């Protein structure tokens, strides 16, 4: 009988994918964090031209220089993060960036702090790097924001890294500048890495995004194009860090992906250098959807504040397993909060990255569930 490798045994397939794969006919699927918009036209056009010009070969492992230059100036201009093109790797989505960052810095038994509730790739990626995941319990009363105190409570002499995610999946919470700064100071002081997953950076309705890379050289900044430019299928992202860390990460990237897709790199370049009004238009649409979903859930007696970022709501109900099952029976696929960590129990996640009309229809169905 086939015996899987030990490292696979402790890894489960993602709850969200399982939900998404249910593919129930006529169901409204609010389980996946995927913008429903088409990739903006000018980005698709740039890819078509590159394809016709035969830009279909391997690129340098770190990615094409023009794109790394564009990322470098974006990070400097918008985030106050100094990273020259040699300190940047273009990756197969933010997903790969996360994976190679952990592979490059974590030794067996090292502890990595992750938000709980938090994005469900963090735990398996830490496990695959043979690290030990330490949940940082986030409080609903505190809008699920990670604070410097939360972090300090969980640091030991084995702590190697802390994963930050603001705006956050699954809660939509946005960290405060003082906490980002405070955690950066802790990281500097104790020689801990900060892996900052900034994939929802531009999907922010209130407040401002702050990058720890502005405050500490120990930051590993991860970002991508999936959410901001509706480019999930292109599988393109990037990571920026001190060059000595990047030179280790590139070893994993080289023997894993070799390089990100050439055409997707062209798409990323156009996304960064082209007009940005598409980003504002999508954000406006997300805001309308957020307001609708929050209002309707509140009217159902599910109390919830408006999240400040990303495109998720994460409300509490008495019995979320029952609620999710009832919801699926009514034809609305949502995800149980326990998949995002222990502190996600008795919550559920709705992704509102789907059309307004479908959301109205979904809310009409959810309204008929007896809570
Ligand atoms: N980080 C977070 C918090 C996410 O929600 C996602 C996508 N769901 C990713 C990273 C991965 O994004 P990508 O498509 O760039 O791999």
């Amino acid at each position: 009988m086939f015996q899987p490798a030990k490292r696979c045994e402790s890894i489960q397939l993602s709850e969200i994918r399982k939900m998404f794969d249910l593919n129930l006919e006529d169901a409204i699927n609010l389980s996946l964090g995927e913008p429903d918009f088409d990739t903006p036209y000018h980005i698709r056009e740039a890819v078509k031209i590159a394809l016709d010009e035969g830009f279909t070969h391997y690129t340098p492992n770190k990615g094409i220089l023009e794109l790394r230059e564009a990322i470098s100036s974006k990070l400097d201009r918008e985030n106050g993060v100094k990273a020259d093109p040699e300190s940047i790797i273009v990756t197969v989505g933010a997903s790969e960036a996360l994976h190679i960052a952990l592979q490059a810095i974590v030794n067996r038994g090292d502890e990595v702090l992750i938000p709980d509730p938090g994005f469900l790739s963090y735990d398996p990626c830490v496990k695959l790097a043979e690290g030990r995941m330490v949940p940082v319990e986030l409080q609903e009363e505190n809008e699920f924001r990670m604070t410097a105190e939360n972090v300090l409570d969980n640091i030991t002499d084995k702590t190697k890294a802390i994963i930050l995610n603001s705006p956050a999946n699954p809660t939509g919470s946005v960290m405060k500048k003082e906490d980002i700064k405070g955690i950066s100071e802790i990281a500097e002081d104790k020689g801990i890495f900060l892996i900052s997953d900034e994939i929802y950076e531009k999907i922010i309705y209130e407040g401002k995004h702050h990058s720890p890379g502005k405050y500490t050289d120990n930051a590993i900044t991860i970002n991508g194009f999936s959410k901001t430019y509706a480019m999930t299928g292109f599988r393109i992202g990037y990571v920026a860090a001190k060059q000595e860390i990047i030179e280790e990460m590139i070893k994993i990237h080289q023997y894993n992906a070799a390089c990100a897709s050439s055409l997707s790199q062209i798409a990323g370049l156009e996304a960064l250098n082209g007009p940005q009004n598409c980003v504002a238009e999508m954000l406006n649409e997300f805001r309308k959807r957020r307001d609708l979903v929050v209002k309707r859930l509140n009217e159902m007696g599910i109390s919830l504040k408006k999240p400040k970022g990303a495109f998720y709501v994460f409300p509490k109900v008495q019995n979320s397993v029952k609620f999710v099952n009832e919801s699926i029976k009514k034809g609305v696929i949502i995800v149980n909060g326990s998949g995002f960590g222990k502190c996600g129990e008795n919550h559920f996640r709705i992704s509102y990255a789907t059309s307004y009309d479908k959301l109205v229809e979904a809310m009409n169905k959810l309204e008929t569930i007896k809570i």
Side-chain angles (χ1 to χ4, degrees), residues 16 32-34 91-98 118-122 164-170 197-200 222-227 231-238 310-312 349:
I16 302 179
L32 207 62
E34 154 139 54
T91 54
V92 182
S95 301
E96 196 219 354
L98 179 68
F119 177 44
L120 38 71
S121 290
Y122 299 148
L164 306 184
N165 177 218
S166 179
N169 177 6
D197 177 350
E198 307 187 9
I199 189 96
Y200 295 103
I222 291 176
N223 209 329
F225 299 86
S226 289
K227 317 287 174 174
M231 281 173 49
T232 45
F234 282 90
R235 310 306 309 123
I236 184 106
Y238 56 88
F311 38 62
Y312 307 104
R349 191 191 79 171

Side-chain angles (χ1 to χ4, degrees), residues 126-145:
V126 171
K127 281 190 184 136
L128 286 172
E130 299 186 87
R132 210 172 76 74
M133 174 285 271
V134 177
V136 177
E137 296 185 1
L138 306 178
Q139 315 303 329
E140 185 147 23
E141 308 77 75
N142 208 9
E143 296 174 354
F144 291 113
R145 266 185 286 107

Side-chain angles (χ1 to χ4, degrees), residues 119-232:
F119 177 44
L120 38 71
S121 290
Y122 299 148
D123 175 30
C125 280
V126 171
K127 281 190 184 136
L128 286 172
E130 299 186 87
R132 210 172 76 74
M133 174 285 271
V134 177
V136 177
E137 296 185 1
L138 306 178
Q139 315 303 329
E140 185 147 23
E141 308 77 75
N142 208 9
E143 296 174 354
F144 291 113
R145 266 185 286 107
M146 192 188 270
T147 64
E149 291 75 43
N150 290 151
V151 164
L152 269 182
D153 288 346
N154 288 284
I155 285 182
T156 70
D157 54 3
K158 291 215 176 87
T159 309
K160 182 51 89 51
I162 306 166
I163 299 184
L164 306 184
N165 177 218
S166 179
N169 177 6
T171 60
S173 93
V174 174
M175 286 177 71
K176 289 189 170 167
K177 182 179 176 182
E178 69 219 43
D179 288 319
I180 299 267
K181 228 174 143 191
I183 295 171
S184 302
E185 278 160 16
I186 297 170
E188 278 278 303
D189 189 40
K190 302 200 183 280
I192 294 171
F193 293 110
L194 291 184
I195 301 178
S196 180
D197 177 350
E198 307 187 9
I199 189 96
Y200 295 103
E201 170 192 17
K202 299 277 175 165
I203 305 178
I204 193 160
Y205 313 102
E206 279 163 61
K208 207 177 155 310
H209 173 75
H210 299 280
S211 299
K214 183 173 172 184
Y215 305 111
T216 172
D217 268 0
N218 291 357
I220 299 175
T221 306
I222 291 176
N223 209 329
F225 299 86
S226 289
K227 317 287 174 174
T228 306
Y229 298 98
M231 281 173 49
T232 45

